[in-house]
Amino acid sequence: MPSAGDDFRDRVKGLVEKVIREKGLSQKYRVEVEYPSPHGSAIREQGRKVDIAVLVLSDKDEPRPYLFLECKWQAGRGTAEDKIFRAAEEARRDRLLGVHSVVVLGGEGFGPKMRRWALTEGFVHERFLEAWLEEFFNQ
């Protein structure tokens, strides 16, 4: 049985695919779930799977990561607030290594201070994700 976090990730994936399709970019990009990051983890010395990866397709080379989206869902108060600090570090590292990266927040469980902090760190709330994606893929 899928969790609320899995449902959230699937909704985000669907929105990414919709924006790519509507912008006529389906031949250029492919969307994958649970993509093994070539960068590993910024915090722990081990592998890491990114919730959603947008890969650039090329006739000559293997598809390469273009955009990583980490999905953080929190229905009520809990441990996800602790986990978003690690997600911020992972996104920062991805960007330094040449892959656009953003953390998407969902649910009502993040407190106002945490949401404010996350938005100043470049996170995107699910309510604004479609507009963010449309602007990101504006070419």
Side-chain angles (χ1 to χ4, degrees), residues 80-91:
E81 287 191 356
D82 298 333
K83 295 175 188 171
I84 67 171
F85 293 111
R86 187 174 99 205
E89 278 305 307
E90 303 283 10

Side-chain angles (χ1 to χ4, degrees), residues 9 12-21 25-39 48-58 62-71 94 98-102 104 129 132-134 136-137 139:
R9 184 192 63 210
V12 170
K13 177 183 181 268
L15 192 54
V16 172
E17 291 172 328
K18 173 184 177 248
V19 169
I20 288 172
R21 185 176 55 253
L25 299 171
S26 297
Q27 299 301 315
K28 185 173 181 176
Y29 299 110
R30 180 174 76 214
V31 179
E32 291 191 12
V33 173
E34 294 291 316
Y35 183 79
S37 170
H39 309 145
R48 166 178 155 239
K49 288 189 178 178
V50 178
D51 288 327
I52 299 168
V54 177
L55 307 177
V56 174
L57 304 175
S58 169
E62 288 291 313
R64 63 179 168 70
Y66 180 68
L67 171 64
F68 288 160
L69 296 103
E70 287 291 345
C71 302
D94 291 335
V99 178
H100 303 290
S101 188
V102 68
V104 183
L129 182 59
W132 187 93
L133 289 166
E134 286 174 2
F136 182 83
F137 285 105
Q139 299 186 16

